[in-house]
Amino acid sequence: RAVPSSRSLLNLHPDAASHLPPCTAVRRSLTDDDGNNADLKDTKRPTLFSDWEPPALSLWSDRSKFAAHYGYHPQYVKRGDVQPLQDRDGKSCTASTSTLVTTMEERFARSDGKSPKSPTARKMKDDLLFFTNDSENPTFLDALQSDYDVPPPLRTHEAWSGGTATKYNDNKKVGFQVFSAMEQGSSHPFHFHDAAWLGQVAGSRLWFLLPPGTAKSIVGPKVNGCDYLLGRADVPQGAQACVQQAGEVMYLPPKWFHATCALESWSVGVGGQGGSPAVYDQDFERPVVPAGRTEEEEREKLVECGAIKAADTEDWKWFDGNLGEYYDSLERDEHAKRKPNVITSYAVHRWMGPKRSTLEHYTLIRAAIYELVLGELPSPSPSSTTTPLRVFDAGCGLGAGLMWMEQNEPSWTMVGHTISEEQYKWITQDLPTHQFTAKLHTYDEPLTGGEAKFDALYSIEAAIHSPNLATSIQAWSDALEPGGVIVLIDDFLSVGVARDDPDVDLFARSWLANSVHSTKEIANFATKSDMRIVRDRDIGSEYEVIKLNYRNKAPELKDEQGRAHQGWLGSKVRQRLTVQGKISYRMVVLQKNGTGNKIGVAKPPTRPLSPVGGSQAQSECSAVPSIADASTGAMEIDIDSVLMTGQGKNGGQKQECLSSWYCCDKGIEYWEDLEANRNTRKTGYLQLSKDLFGNYLTSFAKHLTDFYRTYPSNYSGGGKFLDIGGTGSVASGMTQVTSKFAHFAGPLDYWVLDSDPAAEKLSNAVVCDIDNCPAASDCEYDVTYSFTVLEHAVRPWEAFDTIARITKKGGLTLHLVPWSYQYHATPDDNYRFSHKALKSLLEDRGFEVLEVGYDICTKPEAKLKVKDEHFDIIWLTYVVGRKL
């Protein structure tokens, strides 16, 4: 076998190479009968043939010789996903072979004499690939055949029907030829297809192989194959790593997953593949380079396509604060990627949620408008209201928000402003026919001449550009009806981070972020503008923005090939600050004071500001019934301290333990054992008093019994017991329960509250997120209860705000939460609570704490030998409070 070059990534990173998994491919030589006559028809394992000696080994080993011989052939200029780059008109970029070969070398020019420029920081989108086939470029592939022969074992393979790879006809499975040239550090990510072979002619490449049928969860996301070598990504479990040198041929049976990494500059291979190029999105028309195009014109076109930078381009192009030209330039660069009929192609926001959606922002804004302006919940389907609203998009960009809102709420009058001429041109000339109005105007003047005021205003990643956000908020407030809302989705400065932090300052300059503020500052601006903050959601954490958009990595601050616009620098600094936690991606909602005309009564803020839990005067809150207000005696009732399975009208069957994993009521036993067998002196700050340990189930049953015995004996019903999270997370794979704590409701009607979509089918369910639940009315429930639920809340302090708001005066609230417990994402897991945390969360919201303590649970004997993520011992915290 050939010896790897001293400049191979294997030699440049010997430590990384030593940790690669072994190659288990079959090895055969083409110089003996075993290899030369190998029958691959039933071969199930990859095979690596050595001693292949075509003329191309010497003729193609030097890129300049190759370019001189084949340089006149036209080629597509392709990026890392093997799709052609596009110019500003949306046309695929082409270049002569000689120019493409030179461009590849220039793009990844060596900067340190040892490795290509930033070889350990390249992403797939940075790659420039020379990859073609005999469908799109038959003349070029035919010309290449004079320099190589197909190895004998591969000539008669049914996947490409003999000889060389015969051209496909009517999509019949007869195969095609391929040619591949890459620079060091470039890659093809994991994929699979029909049987294929590739002979290495120059340089070397590293293959990562996984057998057919490997689960996508094991294969993982598409990344540059060199990431596995360089430690930027974990090698998938069960993968093998095989090095292919010049003069070796790799054969892959059908459907083997494979990713490759070019170990040296000018890594070249030629081969064949089964199937049709159309199946792999490689059935392009034949590339054409316009006749008479000069070398200078060809380079200008490559600059336009983003393949290379102009010779006189500085590292970053700055716009001296001209926001309009800043966005005009960006849009000219990106225009070819837009598709007028596909909103996601011009909804340029960060990905949110499991579907990596850039439209989730509009769903959140729509919901906030419904809840705060209309006083109701939106339905999942479009057009759930006929109430006409006027809504303003402050910084409407390319009009994605306006178009989405119009499609989902046709009764709303939508108006948007942008100061970018290119964005305005797109909206007015390229978008499909629409009813909304877009104006080329500053968003600081929402009303441009006699229009009615707006009911709502939103701004997505645009408020941060305001020259003076306090002035903008005042102008927006002036343009709103009383009770109207402003919804801001943007980056906000984190608590404790100084505005003059060097990275924050660089972000402000490069992103033209004139208004980098904390939410506390926004609250001050709002107060001065007759408004108040009613929502503050960390949607960056809630929707995993860092994981989805940035893979949890802070980037290098450098220009990328063809990306010299200061906005690209700004986006990188924003990524770094977000990953470091210096800024956070949030949705902040302001509501104008006064009574709106869209609902009968102006809604109080769902999240009270000061004092916590004090948004509704206690005198206005209905109270639970009491024997003091009746002429009869007290109700006679006992609540059993039992757990039920929760399936069936009466709660189903009794449960002996918390679950199959844990049985509780071990707290006192733990405390007494510690006191009796302690072998160290007591440390004061570690001590918990004995009276903090008890049985949560006994405690809950006792307090509920005592509470119901304050009801008059002739109580006629109508009160409600609310079981928060009472159905189980069906979306996370749990079995739905419907009556697990119905026996705790005593004389009350049993209701459940859950955000799980499956709860919508239940007649006694309130479907919402307890953090923010307008669907639950103020002072509606006699008892509010949760059982190992509130640790899943994204913002538990807001969950307790809701609990305080919806519990009747004199009502009881009971909660069990984990203190020491394994991670359990159903669908997420965010918090743990000490007894003091629960005490303050209730007392700060107007509750008297009747009891708080810990219950300790251990595994039953049947589970003791099971070794997995489950803790052997867990601690639960419980609390009982009464609303004053």
Side-chain angles (χ1 to χ4, degrees):
R1 296 175 55 199
V3 178
S5 162
S6 61
R7 290 185 173 181
S8 165
L9 287 179
L10 293 175
N11 289 321
L12 293 173
H13 301 274
D15 290 341
S18 66
H19 292 93
L20 291 174
C23 176
T24 59
V26 177
R27 293 188 176 274
R28 289 176 170 170
S29 171
L30 293 171
T31 60
D32 57 40
D33 290 341
D34 178 61
N36 226 21
N37 299 319
D39 183 0
L40 301 177
K41 181 177 180 181
D42 297 320
T43 298
K44 303 297 184 182
R45 292 169 57 192
T47 302
L48 194 58
F49 294 94
S50 61
D51 303 307
W52 184 50
E53 298 181 348
L57 282 177
S58 59
L59 296 176
W60 300 1
S61 61
D62 183 275
R63 78 172 70 231
S64 59
K65 290 182 180 180
F66 182 87
H69 196 63
Y70 297 106
Y72 62 91
H73 288 277
Q75 306 292 346
Y76 283 114
V77 183
K78 297 183 180 181
R79 56 182 187 254
D81 59 0
V82 204
Q83 297 297 303
L85 294 170
Q86 294 184 324
D87 62 17
R88 290 172 184 168
D89 296 325
K91 296 179 180 178
S92 297
C93 288
T94 60
S96 65
T97 297
S98 58
T99 299
L100 177 56
V101 170
T102 302
T103 299
M104 290 170 61
E105 183 178 31
E106 177 183 330
R107 184 176 169 109
F108 304 120
R110 295 178 183 279
S111 59
D112 58 7
K114 294 197 304 182
S115 58
K117 186 176 183 180
S118 302
T120 59
R122 191 179 309 160
K123 301 175 184 176
M124 281 195 302
K125 63 182 176 62
D126 300 324
D127 276 341
L128 193 65
L129 301 181
F130 183 176
F131 187 85
T132 188
N133 61 70
D134 63 346
S135 169
E136 72 181 32
N137 208 335
T139 304
F140 175 63
L141 269 295
D142 286 347
L144 295 181
Q145 287 188 41
S146 62
D147 292 340
Y148 75 94
D149 61 320
V150 179
L154 300 164
R155 291 174 187 170
T156 58
H157 197 290
E158 62 182 5
W160 38 84
S161 299
T164 59
T166 308
K167 297 175 181 59
Y168 67 97
N169 180 30
D170 296 329
N171 291 328
K172 290 182 180 179
K173 185 179 176 182
V174 292
F176 57 98
Q177 294 171 277
V178 295
F179 171 86
S180 169
M182 297 189 291
E183 290 298 322
Q184 186 180 49
S186 293
S187 162
H188 290 282
F190 266 115
H191 62 289
F192 69 87
H193 43 62
D194 208 331
W197 72 274
L198 189 79
Q200 190 72 11
V201 178
S204 57
R205 73 184 67 207
L206 177 61
W207 294 76
F208 292 93
L209 306 173
L210 284 165
T214 300
K216 290 183 179 180
S217 59
I218 294 177
V219 178
K222 288 186 178 293
V223 299
N224 184 309
C226 299
D227 287 0
Y228 303 123
L229 168 64
L230 301 173
R232 297 197 302 266
D234 294 330
V235 178
Q237 182 180 0
Q240 54 177 300
C242 300
V243 177
Q244 180 187 17
Q245 305 290 349
E248 294 183 330
V249 177
M250 175 64 80
Y251 167 72
L252 290 178
K255 298 184 179 181
W256 270 78
F257 286 92
H258 54 285
T260 59
C261 166
L263 297 173
E264 302 168 47
S265 61
W266 191 239
S267 177
V268 182
V270 66
Q273 185 174 314
S276 161
V279 177
Y280 312 111
D281 295 325
Q282 293 295 302
D283 56 336
F284 309 114
E285 296 180 356
R286 297 184 182 184
V288 175
V289 175
R293 182 192 282 178
T294 65
E295 182 180 351
E296 181 179 356
E297 290 171 336
E298 197 159 64
R299 288 187 62 82
E300 288 177 355
K301 177 58 69 172
L302 290 174
V303 170
E304 180 184 337
C305 294
I308 56 174
K309 294 197 301 183
D312 59 351
T313 299
E314 298 178 0
D315 281 350
W316 298 103
K317 182 179 179 182
W318 293 84
F319 292 87
D320 298 324
N322 187 334
L323 188 63
E325 177 54 28
Y326 174 92
Y327 275 109
D328 285 345
S329 177
L330 273 179
E331 178 53 24
R332 285 191 291 268
D333 289 346
E334 301 294 304
H335 181 79
K337 299 178 181 178
R338 317 292 188 209
K339 298 178 181 179
N341 293 310
V342 182
I343 295 180
T344 52
S345 75
Y346 58 96
V348 190
H349 315 304
R350 273 163 280 189
W351 289 333
M352 297 207 308
K355 295 183 179 180
R356 297 173 177 259
S357 173
T358 58
L359 306 182
E360 188 68 25
H361 307 69
Y362 311 136
T363 301
L364 292 173
I365 291 168
R366 175 175 177 251
I369 293 173
Y370 262 81
E371 294 167 14
L372 295 166
V373 178
L374 297 173
E376 58 185 272
L377 289 175
S379 70
S381 59
S383 308
S384 60
T385 181
T386 56
T387 305
L389 297 181
R390 281 179 52 78
V391 180
F392 181 71
D393 186 331
C396 64
L398 295 163
L402 295 169
M403 185 66 78
W404 189 93
M405 291 292 180
E406 180 172 297
Q407 292 177 359
N408 286 271
E409 296 296 340
S411 66
W412 294 3
T413 299
M414 301 298 304
V415 179
H417 286 186
T418 177
I419 60 171
S420 166
E421 293 183 3
E422 292 293 330
Q423 291 178 344
Y424 180 71
K425 187 188 303 182
W426 164 266
I427 293 173
T428 56
Q429 297 180 13
D430 294 330
L431 286 186
T433 302
H434 51 265
Q435 300 300 314
F436 65 78
T437 300
K439 298 180 181 181
L440 186 62
H441 198 76
T442 173
Y443 60 39
D444 279 351
E445 297 176 2
L447 302 177
T448 57
E451 305 104 318
K453 290 188 175 183
F454 293 99
D455 300 291
L457 177 152
Y458 65 86
S459 179
I460 305 175
E461 300 179 17
I464 201 167
H465 296 306
S466 171
N468 186 319
L469 191 53
T471 300
S472 298
I473 289 176
Q474 181 64 66
W476 297 342
S477 176
D478 291 342
L480 284 176
E481 295 282 1
V485 296
I486 297 172
V487 185
L488 305 177
I489 294 181
D490 222 317
D491 297 289
F492 293 91
L493 198 63
S494 298
V495 175
V497 179
R499 172 59 182 80
D500 59 0
D501 180 289
D503 281 347
V504 175
D505 183 63
L506 179 59
F507 169 59
R509 289 188 295 113
S510 57
W511 196 246
L512 291 185
N514 304 301
S515 293
V516 186
H517 294 291
S518 67
T519 54
K520 182 178 180 180
E521 291 173 302
I522 301 300
N524 291 334
F525 298 157
T527 300
K528 294 176 182 178
S529 300
D530 195 30
M531 303 194 77
R532 63 187 184 277
I533 289 183
V534 293
R535 299 281 192 280
D536 180 7
R537 295 176 64 174
D538 182 1
I539 58 176
S541 298
E542 194 174 335
Y543 288 89
E544 298 185 312
V545 164
I546 293 177
K547 177 182 177 181
L548 293 178
N549 294 266
Y550 308 138
R551 296 175 61 197
N552 299 318
K553 294 182 179 179
E556 295 182 19
L557 300 183
K558 67 177 184 66
D559 62 308
E560 298 180 7
Q561 292 83 0
R563 291 179 171 179
H565 190 290
Q566 77 175 72
W568 294 110
L569 172 62
S571 68
K572 287 179 173 293
V573 184
R574 180 176 68 171
Q575 175 181 346
R576 170 180 281 189
L577 292 175
T578 306
V579 173
Q580 292 175 340
K582 291 184 177 180
I583 60 175
S584 59
Y585 197 53
R586 312 185 76 84
M587 184 177 87
V588 177
V589 185
L590 317 179
Q591 187 163 33
K592 189 170 182 176
N593 295 324
T595 302
N597 58 8
K598 303 301 177 183
I599 54 177
V601 180
K603 285 180 67 63
T606 301
R607 182 174 180 236
L609 298 179
S610 181
V612 177
S615 66
Q616 182 170 5
Q618 294 302 308
S619 60
E620 300 175 12
C621 188
S622 58
V624 297
S626 170
I627 53 175
D629 303 321
S631 58
T632 62
M635 178 181 293
E636 294 184 6
I637 190 172
D638 286 293
I639 300 299
D640 291 336
S641 57
V642 295
L643 276 178
M644 308 296 287
T645 59
Q647 295 172 323
K649 183 177 180 181
N650 298 315
Q653 302 298 315
K654 290 184 179 181
Q655 280 185 207
E656 293 298 324
C657 294
L658 178 78
S659 67
S660 63
W661 284 97
Y662 297 109
C663 295
C664 301
D665 194 21
K666 309 292 183 183
I668 296 295
E669 179 182 327
Y670 159 84
W671 192 92
E672 291 177 345
D673 177 72
L674 184 61
E675 286 298 298
N677 298 295
R678 180 189 302 277
N679 55 18
T680 65
R681 65 180 183 178
K682 291 185 178 181
T683 304
Y685 59 78
L686 297 178
Q687 304 300 302
L688 289 172
S689 61
K690 186 176 182 178
D691 60 8
L692 278 174
F693 294 92
N695 182 335
Y696 77 89
L697 202 55
T698 301
S699 173
F700 287 172
K702 172 186 177 299
H703 285 285
L704 285 168
T705 297
D706 292 345
F707 176 68
Y708 294 141
R709 287 180 178 180
T710 66
Y711 280 48
S713 59
N714 63 349
Y715 175 65
S716 58
K720 295 180 180 179
F721 178 104
L722 184 66
D723 185 354
I724 299 165
T727 71
S729 181
V730 177
S732 302
M734 299 172 67
T735 300
Q736 186 181 62
V737 295
T738 57
S739 55
K740 188 172 184 67
F741 292 101
H743 63 294
F744 275 8
L748 307 177
D749 295 333
Y750 180 67
W751 282 75
V752 294
L753 181 152
D754 215 305
S755 60
D756 193 276
E760 295 179 355
K761 299 177 182 179
L762 303 178
S763 60
N764 65 329
V766 180
V767 183
C768 68
D769 188 332
I770 187 61
D771 287 0
N772 177 19
C773 183
S777 300
D778 295 354
C779 302
E780 184 175 5
Y781 300 97
D782 299 52
V783 176
T784 47
Y785 175 85
S786 73
F787 184 82
T788 62
V789 168
L790 297 178
E791 71 270 21
H792 303 291
V794 176
R795 295 169 298 280
W797 49 93
E798 293 189 359
F800 278 97
D801 287 348
T802 300
I803 290 166
R805 177 177 63 81
I806 66 178
T807 305
K808 288 181 179 179
K809 185 177 181 179
L812 206 63
T813 194
L814 311 91
H815 306 282
L816 182 71
V817 289
W819 171 235
S820 176
Y821 200 95
Q822 61 269 0
Y823 180 74
H824 58 297
T826 54
D828 210 342
D829 188 13
N830 300 306
Y831 292 92
R832 298 293 180 266
F833 303 84
S834 70
H835 68 289
K836 289 198 171 182
L838 290 181
K839 190 171 185 289
S840 63
L841 283 166
L842 286 186
E843 289 179 343
D844 288 351
R845 287 157 177 79
F847 286 89
E848 174 191 7
V849 174
L850 303 179
E851 185 176 354
V852 64
Y854 297 96
D855 199 342
I856 296 178
C857 315
T858 59
K859 287 182 177 180
E861 186 174 352
K863 295 290 187 181
L864 288 177
K865 294 182 180 180
V866 178
K867 192 69 175 179
D868 65 2
E869 288 79 5
H870 286 84
F871 290 6
D872 288 340
I873 300 174
I874 62 171
W875 285 45
L876 303 175
T877 320
Y878 60 92
V879 68
V880 181
R882 183 175 66 89
K883 186 173 178 180
L884 299 175

